[in-house]
Amino acid sequence: MKLKCGSRYITVVFMRHSSASAQVHQPLNYINGTRVESATKDPGHKFHLIAPATGEILRDVPGAGAEDVDSAVAAARTAFTSWSKQPAFQRGSILIKAADIIRARSEEIARVEVLDTGKPIWEARYDILGCADTIQYYGGLAATLTGEFMKLANDSFTYTIREALGVVGGIGAWNYPFQMAAFKSAPALVCGNAMVFKPSPLTPLTAVMLAEIFTEAGLPDGCFNVIQGAGETGQLLVRHPKIAKMSFTGSVNTGSKIMAGCAESIKHITLELGGKSPLIIFSDADLDNAVKGAMMANFTNQGQVCSNGTRVFVQKDILAQFLEKLVTRTKGMKIGDPNEEDTMVGATISQEQAEKTLRYVQLARKEGATVVYGGERVTPTDARLKGGYYLSPCVLTDCADHMTVVKEEVFGSVMSILTFDTEEEAVRRANDTEFGLAGGVFTKDLMRAHRVIAGMEAGSLYVNNYNLIPVGLPFGGFKKSGIGRENGPDTLNYYSQIKSVYFEGGDVDCPY
Ligand code: NAD
C-alpha cells in the first residue's frame, strides 16, 4: 500500500488494522476542540513517526512551535474560566461518559496503541480498559471536592474552598501513551483545571483520540488540548507564563530539567520518574508464584515499565530451583507480531532503545555477569516484521550490586539476579539506590512481609505479586523517582489549591 507523506511517498506494510491506519494521517495537534496542523514551519521541530513492530516510517509529524503552544494555552485559559466554575459533580459526569466511550472504542484504541508502541495487543487492551476505570474513578470523586468549615466564637467561622490551579501542562513518556494522557487529565479536569498535554514524539497517536473522546462526552472546547513535539516543545510548555502546574512522566534527567524550568516561575509540579526497584524472594516463598512475580516485574511491556523490579534478590538456598523454573517459563514466551493474540513479547519502542538495552547486556557480561537466557536481537520469521525492534527477554546471574546493569535503569527486558543470606542484608542492599519507585517481597512469613515492606524506601510496594496498579491505589516515587502521586484520591490535592476564608461575625477587635 502507498501512502502520501509530505512531499514523498512511503510504503507501508503494517496497516492491517484500518482504524489504526486512519489515525496516522490526520492532524495530530488538538486545540480548542479540533484537530489542527502545526503552524510552525521550522523543520527542526519535525519528527518521524515509526512503527516499532516493523521499523517503518509511517509519516513525518510537524512538532508544535511557540505559536502552537501559545494558541493551545490560550484556548485552555479561556476554557478554564467557565469550566472551573461548573459544579464539580457536572464535571465528573462528563468524565464518566468519556469512560463509557473509551470502553466502547477500546479495541480500536488498543490497535492504535499497538501500532504506536509495538506492545502486544492483550497488554494494550488491558491498559486502555484500565484508563476507562481511572477516568470513571475520578469522575466519581468529583462530589468529594469539598471544603471544610470551622466554627469560632462570636458567630465567626472559617471555611476552605478547594480551587483549581489553572492551566496544567502535561508531558508524557512513550511506554503507556494513552495512560499518561488519561492519568494526568482525569484528576486535572475533575478539579476544574484545563490541560495542554504533550505526548512523547515516539507515540503521538492515542492522546489525540482521548481528546476527541472528551469532546464527544461533552467536555467544552479548550479544556483538553494536545500538542506534539520533542524536548523543545516540552520546554515551551514548562516555561510558559500562563501554565500553573506541570505534570511530568519520564526520566530523572528530564524531570530535573522540568523542575528547573518550573522553579523560574514557581509552578506546581508532579514528577513521575524512573526506578531500579528491588524484588526480594525468600526461600519460604511459593516458588511458582515468585517466578511469575519476577517475570511480571521484568518482562511486562518489553521491560519498559518504570516500576519494574529489575534487581531480583533471591535467597541463596533456592537459587538453583528458582532459576530452572524461571528460564523454562521465559523460554516459553512467544516473541513476534504484537497484533497476534498469543504474542507475549512485542517490539521494543525504537532502534535506539533496543541498542541501549543490548549495550547494557554486553556491559553486564564484561563486568562479570552471566547471561543465562536471552538478551539478543530476534528477527521474526514474518517478512513484514524484519525491520522491527525485537529482543529476547534476558536473565542475568552472577550479578553484583556495583555492576552498571544493577545500578542504572535499563528500561528493557533485563532481569538481574542477585543472591542474599539474611533479611537485614536484603533490605539494606535493596535500599542502596538513588531511586525509590517500587519494590516487592515474596514470602509466606506474614510478619517478615510487613517488616520488609516497612523497611523499604519506595512509594509502591507489593507482597507476593508485582506490577499491579488497581484503580484508586496511589502511585509515585520516593527519592529521585519523583514528587507527588497519581492514580488515587491524594492526586486531587496535587491538582487543586486551598483558599482559606475567615468570616467575622462580630465587631473588629482592634488594639490600635
Ligand atoms: P524522557 O525523559 O526522555 O521523555 C519524557 C518526555 O519528556 C517526552 O515527552 C519528551 O519529549 C519530553 N522531554 C524531553 N526532554 C525535555 C525537556 N528538556 N523539557 C521538556 N520536555 C522534555 O523519557 P522517556 O524515554 O520518554 O521515558 C522513559 C522514562 O520514563 C524512564 O526513565 C521511565 O522510568 C520513566 N517513566 C516513569 C513513570 C512513572 O510513573 N514513574 C512511568 C513511565 C515512564
PDB file of all heavy atoms in Angstrom, residues 116-145:
ATOM      1  N   ASP A 116       1.600   2.219  17.630  1.00  0.00           N
ATOM      2  CA  ASP A 116       2.475   3.280  18.144  1.00  0.00           C
ATOM      3  C   ASP A 116       3.609   2.740  19.011  1.00  0.00           C
ATOM      4  O   ASP A 116       4.715   3.267  18.989  1.00  0.00           O
ATOM      5  CB  ASP A 116       1.617   4.216  19.013  1.00  0.00           C
ATOM      6  CG  ASP A 116       1.789   5.682  18.639  1.00  0.00           C
ATOM      7  OD1 ASP A 116       2.543   5.957  17.696  1.00  0.00           O
ATOM      8  OD2 ASP A 116       1.173   6.530  19.295  1.00  0.00           O
ATOM      9  N   THR A 117       3.303   1.698  19.812  1.00  0.00           N
ATOM     10  CA  THR A 117       4.274   1.253  20.824  1.00  0.00           C
ATOM     11  C   THR A 117       4.937  -0.086  20.523  1.00  0.00           C
ATOM     12  O   THR A 117       5.984  -0.391  21.086  1.00  0.00           O
ATOM     13  CB  THR A 117       3.586   1.069  22.199  1.00  0.00           C
ATOM     14  OG1 THR A 117       2.567   0.064  22.056  1.00  0.00           O
ATOM     15  CG2 THR A 117       2.974   2.352  22.715  1.00  0.00           C
ATOM     16  N   GLY A 118       4.286  -0.942  19.732  1.00  0.00           N
ATOM     17  CA  GLY A 118       4.816  -2.291  19.498  1.00  0.00           C
ATOM     18  C   GLY A 118       4.479  -3.275  20.597  1.00  0.00           C
ATOM     19  O   GLY A 118       4.915  -4.425  20.577  1.00  0.00           O
ATOM     20  N   LYS A 119       3.674  -2.838  21.595  1.00  0.00           N
ATOM     21  CA  LYS A 119       3.345  -3.755  22.703  1.00  0.00           C
ATOM     22  C   LYS A 119       2.291  -4.769  22.261  1.00  0.00           C
ATOM     23  O   LYS A 119       1.500  -4.485  21.344  1.00  0.00           O
ATOM     24  CB  LYS A 119       2.895  -2.987  23.933  1.00  0.00           C
ATOM     25  CG  LYS A 119       1.564  -2.275  23.813  1.00  0.00           C
ATOM     26  CD  LYS A 119       1.127  -1.694  25.141  1.00  0.00           C
ATOM     27  CE  LYS A 119       1.987  -0.538  25.606  1.00  0.00           C
ATOM     28  NZ  LYS A 119       1.670  -0.028  26.919  1.00  0.00           N
ATOM     29  N   PRO A 120       2.253  -5.955  22.871  1.00  0.00           N
ATOM     30  CA  PRO A 120       1.262  -6.966  22.493  1.00  0.00           C
ATOM     31  C   PRO A 120      -0.169  -6.469  22.722  1.00  0.00           C
ATOM     32  O   PRO A 120      -0.430  -5.722  23.673  1.00  0.00           O
ATOM     33  CB  PRO A 120       1.569  -8.134  23.427  1.00  0.00           C
ATOM     34  CG  PRO A 120       2.941  -7.904  23.931  1.00  0.00           C
ATOM     35  CD  PRO A 120       3.161  -6.427  23.931  1.00  0.00           C
ATOM     36  N   ILE A 121      -1.058  -6.905  21.863  1.00  0.00           N
ATOM     37  CA  ILE A 121      -2.437  -6.410  21.881  1.00  0.00           C
ATOM     38  C   ILE A 121      -3.124  -6.661  23.224  1.00  0.00           C
ATOM     39  O   ILE A 121      -3.879  -5.826  23.706  1.00  0.00           O
ATOM     40  CB  ILE A 121      -3.265  -7.004  20.697  1.00  0.00           C
ATOM     41  CG1 ILE A 121      -4.691  -6.465  20.688  1.00  0.00           C
ATOM     42  CG2 ILE A 121      -3.251  -8.522  20.652  1.00  0.00           C
ATOM     43  CD1 ILE A 121      -4.844  -4.997  20.472  1.00  0.00           C
ATOM     44  N   TRP A 122      -2.840  -7.819  23.856  1.00  0.00           N
ATOM     45  CA  TRP A 122      -3.524  -8.086  25.134  1.00  0.00           C
ATOM     46  C   TRP A 122      -3.124  -7.057  26.191  1.00  0.00           C
ATOM     47  O   TRP A 122      -3.935  -6.647  27.012  1.00  0.00           O
ATOM     48  CB  TRP A 122      -3.270  -9.523  25.618  1.00  0.00           C
ATOM     49  CG  TRP A 122      -1.832  -9.814  25.973  1.00  0.00           C
ATOM     50  CD1 TRP A 122      -0.875 -10.297  25.137  1.00  0.00           C
ATOM     51  CD2 TRP A 122      -1.189  -9.622  27.246  1.00  0.00           C
ATOM     52  NE1 TRP A 122       0.330 -10.418  25.792  1.00  0.00           N
ATOM     53  CE2 TRP A 122       0.169 -10.022  27.089  1.00  0.00           C
ATOM     54  CE3 TRP A 122      -1.607  -9.151  28.490  1.00  0.00           C
ATOM     55  CZ2 TRP A 122       1.087  -9.961  28.141  1.00  0.00           C
ATOM     56  CZ3 TRP A 122      -0.677  -9.098  29.531  1.00  0.00           C
ATOM     57  CH2 TRP A 122       0.644  -9.496  29.352  1.00  0.00           C
ATOM     58  N   GLU A 123      -1.864  -6.624  26.128  1.00  0.00           N
ATOM     59  CA  GLU A 123      -1.426  -5.604  27.097  1.00  0.00           C
ATOM     60  C   GLU A 123      -2.093  -4.276  26.802  1.00  0.00           C
ATOM     61  O   GLU A 123      -2.508  -3.542  27.711  1.00  0.00           O
ATOM     62  CB  GLU A 123       0.089  -5.418  27.040  1.00  0.00           C
ATOM     63  CG  GLU A 123       0.856  -6.474  27.792  1.00  0.00           C
ATOM     64  CD  GLU A 123       2.284  -6.026  28.093  1.00  0.00           C
ATOM     65  OE1 GLU A 123       2.475  -4.915  28.599  1.00  0.00           O
ATOM     66  OE2 GLU A 123       3.218  -6.797  27.803  1.00  0.00           O
ATOM     67  N   ALA A 124      -2.191  -3.954  25.502  1.00  0.00           N
ATOM     68  CA  ALA A 124      -2.797  -2.671  25.113  1.00  0.00           C
ATOM     69  C   ALA A 124      -4.261  -2.635  25.560  1.00  0.00           C
ATOM     70  O   ALA A 124      -4.733  -1.627  26.082  1.00  0.00           O
ATOM     71  CB  ALA A 124      -2.672  -2.469  23.610  1.00  0.00           C
ATOM     72  N   ARG A 125      -4.972  -3.751  25.372  1.00  0.00           N
ATOM     73  CA  ARG A 125      -6.388  -3.797  25.795  1.00  0.00           C
ATOM     74  C   ARG A 125      -6.501  -3.549  27.301  1.00  0.00           C
ATOM     75  O   ARG A 125      -7.350  -2.799  27.765  1.00  0.00           O
ATOM     76  CB  ARG A 125      -6.979  -5.177  25.497  1.00  0.00           C
ATOM     77  CG  ARG A 125      -7.280  -5.392  24.047  1.00  0.00           C
ATOM     78  CD  ARG A 125      -7.972  -6.739  23.873  1.00  0.00           C
ATOM     79  NE  ARG A 125      -8.054  -7.058  22.472  1.00  0.00           N
ATOM     80  CZ  ARG A 125      -7.601  -8.189  21.927  1.00  0.00           C
ATOM     81  NH1 ARG A 125      -7.054  -9.133  22.673  1.00  0.00           N
ATOM     82  NH2 ARG A 125      -7.722  -8.392  20.639  1.00  0.00           N
ATOM     83  N   TYR A 126      -5.619  -4.209  28.032  1.00  0.00           N
ATOM     84  CA  TYR A 126      -5.620  -4.085  29.492  1.00  0.00           C
ATOM     85  C   TYR A 126      -5.370  -2.617  29.889  1.00  0.00           C
ATOM     86  O   TYR A 126      -6.055  -2.070  30.756  1.00  0.00           O
ATOM     87  CB  TYR A 126      -4.522  -5.004  30.036  1.00  0.00           C
ATOM     88  CG  TYR A 126      -4.398  -5.053  31.528  1.00  0.00           C
ATOM     89  CD1 TYR A 126      -5.228  -5.860  32.292  1.00  0.00           C
ATOM     90  CD2 TYR A 126      -3.426  -4.296  32.184  1.00  0.00           C
ATOM     91  CE1 TYR A 126      -5.091  -5.910  33.673  1.00  0.00           C
ATOM     92  CE2 TYR A 126      -3.287  -4.341  33.562  1.00  0.00           C
ATOM     93  CZ  TYR A 126      -4.121  -5.152  34.293  1.00  0.00           C
ATOM     94  OH  TYR A 126      -3.996  -5.193  35.655  1.00  0.00           O
ATOM     95  N   ASP A 127      -4.407  -1.983  29.215  1.00  0.00           N
ATOM     96  CA  ASP A 127      -4.087  -0.573  29.516  1.00  0.00           C
ATOM     97  C   ASP A 127      -5.302   0.317  29.270  1.00  0.00           C
ATOM     98  O   ASP A 127      -5.645   1.173  30.087  1.00  0.00           O
ATOM     99  CB  ASP A 127      -2.971  -0.043  28.599  1.00  0.00           C
ATOM    100  CG  ASP A 127      -1.650  -0.743  28.790  1.00  0.00           C
ATOM    101  OD1 ASP A 127      -1.519  -1.521  29.747  1.00  0.00           O
ATOM    102  OD2 ASP A 127      -0.746  -0.514  27.953  1.00  0.00           O
ATOM    103  N   ILE A 128      -5.923   0.139  28.105  1.00  0.00           N
ATOM    104  CA  ILE A 128      -6.993   1.058  27.708  1.00  0.00           C
ATOM    105  C   ILE A 128      -8.197   0.909  28.648  1.00  0.00           C
ATOM    106  O   ILE A 128      -8.783   1.910  29.097  1.00  0.00           O
ATOM    107  CB  ILE A 128      -7.429   0.803  26.235  1.00  0.00           C
ATOM    108  CG1 ILE A 128      -6.239   0.894  25.275  1.00  0.00           C
ATOM    109  CG2 ILE A 128      -8.568   1.746  25.828  1.00  0.00           C
ATOM    110  CD1 ILE A 128      -5.432   2.161  25.296  1.00  0.00           C
ATOM    111  N   LEU A 129      -8.540  -0.332  28.965  1.00  0.00           N
ATOM    112  CA  LEU A 129      -9.683  -0.527  29.874  1.00  0.00           C
ATOM    113  C   LEU A 129      -9.365   0.015  31.268  1.00  0.00           C
ATOM    114  O   LEU A 129     -10.226   0.569  31.957  1.00  0.00           O
ATOM    115  CB  LEU A 129     -10.082  -2.003  29.923  1.00  0.00           C
ATOM    116  CG  LEU A 129     -10.709  -2.494  28.602  1.00  0.00           C
ATOM    117  CD1 LEU A 129     -10.910  -4.006  28.607  1.00  0.00           C
ATOM    118  CD2 LEU A 129     -12.029  -1.778  28.300  1.00  0.00           C
ATOM    119  N   GLY A 130      -8.104  -0.105  31.667  1.00  0.00           N
ATOM    120  CA  GLY A 130      -7.673   0.465  32.952  1.00  0.00           C
ATOM    121  C   GLY A 130      -7.834   1.985  32.954  1.00  0.00           C
ATOM    122  O   GLY A 130      -8.182   2.587  33.983  1.00  0.00           O
ATOM    123  N   CYS A 131      -7.598   2.600  31.815  1.00  0.00           N
ATOM    124  CA  CYS A 131      -7.750   4.057  31.714  1.00  0.00           C
ATOM    125  C   CYS A 131      -9.223   4.449  31.848  1.00  0.00           C
ATOM    126  O   CYS A 131      -9.546   5.462  32.482  1.00  0.00           O
ATOM    127  CB  CYS A 131      -7.204   4.570  30.383  1.00  0.00           C
ATOM    128  SG  CYS A 131      -5.426   4.447  30.292  1.00  0.00           S
ATOM    129  N   ALA A 132     -10.097   3.652  31.238  1.00  0.00           N
ATOM    130  CA  ALA A 132     -11.539   3.929  31.368  1.00  0.00           C
ATOM    131  C   ALA A 132     -11.906   3.882  32.858  1.00  0.00           C
ATOM    132  O   ALA A 132     -12.636   4.766  33.360  1.00  0.00           O
ATOM    133  CB  ALA A 132     -12.346   2.901  30.580  1.00  0.00           C
ATOM    134  N   ASP A 133     -11.399   2.894  33.569  1.00  0.00           N
ATOM    135  CA  ASP A 133     -11.692   2.783  35.007  1.00  0.00           C
ATOM    136  C   ASP A 133     -11.188   4.011  35.764  1.00  0.00           C
ATOM    137  O   ASP A 133     -11.873   4.552  36.634  1.00  0.00           O
ATOM    138  CB  ASP A 133     -11.031   1.522  35.594  1.00  0.00           C
ATOM    139  CG  ASP A 133     -11.689   0.241  35.077  1.00  0.00           C
ATOM    140  OD1 ASP A 133     -12.764   0.330  34.462  1.00  0.00           O
ATOM    141  OD2 ASP A 133     -11.113  -0.842  35.287  1.00  0.00           O
ATOM    142  N   THR A 134      -9.978   4.427  35.433  1.00  0.00           N
ATOM    143  CA  THR A 134      -9.391   5.566  36.157  1.00  0.00           C
ATOM    144  C   THR A 134     -10.181   6.850  35.903  1.00  0.00           C
ATOM    145  O   THR A 134     -10.431   7.636  36.824  1.00  0.00           O
ATOM    146  CB  THR A 134      -7.912   5.753  35.743  1.00  0.00           C
ATOM    147  OG1 THR A 134      -7.226   4.561  36.082  1.00  0.00           O
ATOM    148  CG2 THR A 134      -7.258   6.928  36.436  1.00  0.00           C
ATOM    149  N   ILE A 135     -10.580   7.049  34.648  1.00  0.00           N
ATOM    150  CA  ILE A 135     -11.336   8.267  34.328  1.00  0.00           C
ATOM    151  C   ILE A 135     -12.694   8.229  35.045  1.00  0.00           C
ATOM    152  O   ILE A 135     -13.147   9.224  35.608  1.00  0.00           O
ATOM    153  CB  ILE A 135     -11.468   8.420  32.795  1.00  0.00           C
ATOM    154  CG1 ILE A 135     -10.092   8.758  32.221  1.00  0.00           C
ATOM    155  CG2 ILE A 135     -12.485   9.496  32.429  1.00  0.00           C
ATOM    156  CD1 ILE A 135     -10.016   8.802  30.714  1.00  0.00           C
ATOM    157  N   GLN A 136     -13.315   7.048  35.055  1.00  0.00           N
ATOM    158  CA  GLN A 136     -14.595   6.908  35.778  1.00  0.00           C
ATOM    159  C   GLN A 136     -14.384   7.169  37.278  1.00  0.00           C
ATOM    160  O   GLN A 136     -15.193   7.828  37.938  1.00  0.00           O
ATOM    161  CB  GLN A 136     -15.155   5.503  35.572  1.00  0.00           C
ATOM    162  CG  GLN A 136     -16.441   5.285  36.341  1.00  0.00           C
ATOM    163  CD  GLN A 136     -17.039   3.911  36.089  1.00  0.00           C
ATOM    164  OE1 GLN A 136     -16.768   3.291  35.064  1.00  0.00           O
ATOM    165  NE2 GLN A 136     -17.840   3.442  37.019  1.00  0.00           N
ATOM    166  N   TYR A 137     -13.278   6.635  37.800  1.00  0.00           N
ATOM    167  CA  TYR A 137     -12.969   6.799  39.227  1.00  0.00           C
ATOM    168  C   TYR A 137     -12.890   8.287  39.596  1.00  0.00           C
ATOM    169  O   TYR A 137     -13.505   8.735  40.569  1.00  0.00           O
ATOM    170  CB  TYR A 137     -11.642   6.080  39.509  1.00  0.00           C
ATOM    171  CG  TYR A 137     -11.049   6.327  40.865  1.00  0.00           C
ATOM    172  CD1 TYR A 137     -11.499   5.641  41.992  1.00  0.00           C
ATOM    173  CD2 TYR A 137     -10.002   7.242  41.026  1.00  0.00           C
ATOM    174  CE1 TYR A 137     -10.931   5.864  43.238  1.00  0.00           C
ATOM    175  CE2 TYR A 137      -9.431   7.457  42.271  1.00  0.00           C
ATOM    176  CZ  TYR A 137      -9.897   6.781  43.368  1.00  0.00           C
ATOM    177  OH  TYR A 137      -9.334   7.000  44.593  1.00  0.00           O
ATOM    178  N   TYR A 138     -12.159   9.061  38.782  1.00  0.00           N
ATOM    179  CA  TYR A 138     -12.044  10.487  39.099  1.00  0.00           C
ATOM    180  C   TYR A 138     -13.372  11.211  38.879  1.00  0.00           C
ATOM    181  O   TYR A 138     -13.701  12.144  39.603  1.00  0.00           O
ATOM    182  CB  TYR A 138     -10.890  11.138  38.331  1.00  0.00           C
ATOM    183  CG  TYR A 138      -9.571  10.810  38.980  1.00  0.00           C
ATOM    184  CD1 TYR A 138      -8.659   9.955  38.386  1.00  0.00           C
ATOM    185  CD2 TYR A 138      -9.271  11.315  40.245  1.00  0.00           C
ATOM    186  CE1 TYR A 138      -7.468   9.626  39.013  1.00  0.00           C
ATOM    187  CE2 TYR A 138      -8.081  10.990  40.889  1.00  0.00           C
ATOM    188  CZ  TYR A 138      -7.182  10.140  40.264  1.00  0.00           C
ATOM    189  OH  TYR A 138      -6.022   9.816  40.907  1.00  0.00           O
ATOM    190  N   GLY A 139     -14.119  10.747  37.868  1.00  0.00           N
ATOM    191  CA  GLY A 139     -15.459  11.314  37.678  1.00  0.00           C
ATOM    192  C   GLY A 139     -16.291  11.113  38.936  1.00  0.00           C
ATOM    193  O   GLY A 139     -16.992  12.026  39.412  1.00  0.00           O
ATOM    194  N   GLY A 140     -16.178   9.947  39.527  1.00  0.00           N
ATOM    195  CA  GLY A 140     -16.924   9.626  40.746  1.00  0.00           C
ATOM    196  C   GLY A 140     -16.444  10.406  41.954  1.00  0.00           C
ATOM    197  O   GLY A 140     -17.222  10.667  42.882  1.00  0.00           O
ATOM    198  N   LEU A 141     -15.177  10.769  41.957  1.00  0.00           N
ATOM    199  CA  LEU A 141     -14.634  11.529  43.109  1.00  0.00           C
ATOM    200  C   LEU A 141     -15.035  13.004  43.071  1.00  0.00           C
ATOM    201  O   LEU A 141     -14.774  13.741  44.026  1.00  0.00           O
ATOM    202  CB  LEU A 141     -13.107  11.439  43.138  1.00  0.00           C
ATOM    203  CG  LEU A 141     -12.462  10.166  43.690  1.00  0.00           C
ATOM    204  CD1 LEU A 141     -10.946  10.349  43.775  1.00  0.00           C
ATOM    205  CD2 LEU A 141     -13.004   9.791  45.056  1.00  0.00           C
ATOM    206  N   ALA A 142     -15.646  13.420  41.979  1.00  0.00           N
ATOM    207  CA  ALA A 142     -15.970  14.848  41.817  1.00  0.00           C
ATOM    208  C   ALA A 142     -16.728  15.393  43.024  1.00  0.00           C
ATOM    209  O   ALA A 142     -16.427  16.481  43.533  1.00  0.00           O
ATOM    210  CB  ALA A 142     -16.785  15.054  40.543  1.00  0.00           C
ATOM    211  N   ALA A 143     -17.692  14.612  43.497  1.00  0.00           N
ATOM    212  CA  ALA A 143     -18.541  15.107  44.583  1.00  0.00           C
ATOM    213  C   ALA A 143     -17.799  15.204  45.916  1.00  0.00           C
ATOM    214  O   ALA A 143     -18.313  15.772  46.883  1.00  0.00           O
ATOM    215  CB  ALA A 143     -19.755  14.190  44.732  1.00  0.00           C
ATOM    216  N   THR A 144     -16.591  14.661  45.984  1.00  0.00           N
ATOM    217  CA  THR A 144     -15.821  14.756  47.235  1.00  0.00           C
ATOM    218  C   THR A 144     -14.970  16.030  47.280  1.00  0.00           C
ATOM    219  O   THR A 144     -14.260  16.259  48.256  1.00  0.00           O
ATOM    220  CB  THR A 144     -14.883  13.540  47.421  1.00  0.00           C
ATOM    221  OG1 THR A 144     -13.828  13.633  46.440  1.00  0.00           O
ATOM    222  CG2 THR A 144     -15.614  12.228  47.261  1.00  0.00           C
ATOM    223  N   LEU A 145     -15.026  16.815  46.211  1.00  0.00           N
ATOM    224  CA  LEU A 145     -14.198  18.033  46.166  1.00  0.00           C
ATOM    225  C   LEU A 145     -14.866  19.149  46.977  1.00  0.00           C
ATOM    226  O   LEU A 145     -15.442  20.090  46.422  1.00  0.00           O
ATOM    227  CB  LEU A 145     -13.993  18.472  44.710  1.00  0.00           C
ATOM    228  CG  LEU A 145     -13.052  17.571  43.916  1.00  0.00           C
ATOM    229  CD1 LEU A 145     -13.222  17.800  42.418  1.00  0.00           C
ATOM    230  CD2 LEU A 145     -11.604  17.819  44.328  1.00  0.00           C
TER     231      LEU A 145
END
